[in-house]
Amino acid sequence: MDGVTRRRARHVVSENQRTLAAAEAMCAGDAVALGGLMNESHASLRDDFEVPREALDTMVACAQVEASCYGARMTGAGFGGCALALVATEAADTFTVRVADVYRAHTGLTPHVVVCTASNGADG
């Protein structure tokens, strides 16, 4: 197996394992574990799957350095993408301002930041 195929396969296999571990972390209410898995997922997307999105890497890095951030990762990178961060609820407003300011200082771009809250999903 050539190097590129090996890295792609490693990403897919490890992402499947992370998905199962993330489900367990969510069921246990373990934000620290879930955040770590998000960070690992981002690194794998960037390094093994080689999704080169400088703007997304920068946004994720800006989020990850904030103390209130459990973890962050890119998502939808092939279509412009966005970054998703798991943040302590009480720090969400401060987090969004700080990350937007740091991102703007690094890139000259103004991000669109949306705060959302997880739910149990649709009943039906």
Side-chain angles (χ1 to χ4, degrees):
M1 185 181 302
D2 67 272
V4 171
T5 303
R6 182 180 311 279
R7 286 190 307 275
R8 300 298 189 272
R10 181 174 53 211
H11 168 74
V12 170
V13 170
S14 65
E15 192 72 353
N16 285 337
Q17 293 168 336
R18 280 188 292 274
T19 300
L20 295 173
E24 290 177 14
M26 285 186 273
C27 287
D30 190 345
V32 172
L34 181 58
L37 292 163
M38 291 172 69
N39 291 336
E40 291 173 18
S41 178
H42 178 78
S44 181
L45 279 165
R46 183 192 61 222
D47 301 338
D48 287 340
F49 217 70
E50 298 180 283
V51 181
R53 303 298 296 185
E54 185 177 342
L56 288 174
D57 285 340
T58 301
M59 179 58 82
V60 169
C62 290
Q64 288 173 333
V65 299
E66 290 295 318
S68 62
C69 181
Y70 295 107
R73 69 182 298 273
M74 69 175 86
T75 184
F79 302 98
C82 64
L84 174 69
L86 180 62
V87 178
T89 302
E90 65 277 2
D93 292 335
T94 302
F95 172 86
T96 60
V97 171
R98 289 174 54 111
V99 168
D101 287 347
V102 172
Y103 183 80
R104 190 177 307 106
H106 278 73
T107 65
L109 302 170
T110 301
H112 179 73
V113 180
V114 176
V115 176
C116 59
T117 303
S119 72
N120 288 331
D123 290 315

